[in-house]
Amino acid sequence: MPQGYKSEYPYAEAGRMPGPENLPLPDPLIWLTYVAAATTTIRLGTGVLILPQRNPVVLAKELPRSTT
């Protein structure tokens, strides 16, 4: 969650995202890796990954290679 953002959030009348700015959000890659390790017959993915918010070297190590 970005802290101190100034732009208006369009999906709420107050113009702010719901919840506090310091709300801990789990990393979706961690959850997807956990679920993928438990099965061999499911395809998982995330719709958005904002690369500038991550260390690209660490991200490359976190992402599994595709087997298809």
Side-chain angles (χ1 to χ4, degrees), residues 29-44:
L29 292 179
I30 301 298
W31 291 107
L32 292 173
T33 302
Y34 176 79
V35 173
T39 184
T40 59
T41 58
I42 191 170
R43 291 183 184 201
L44 300 170

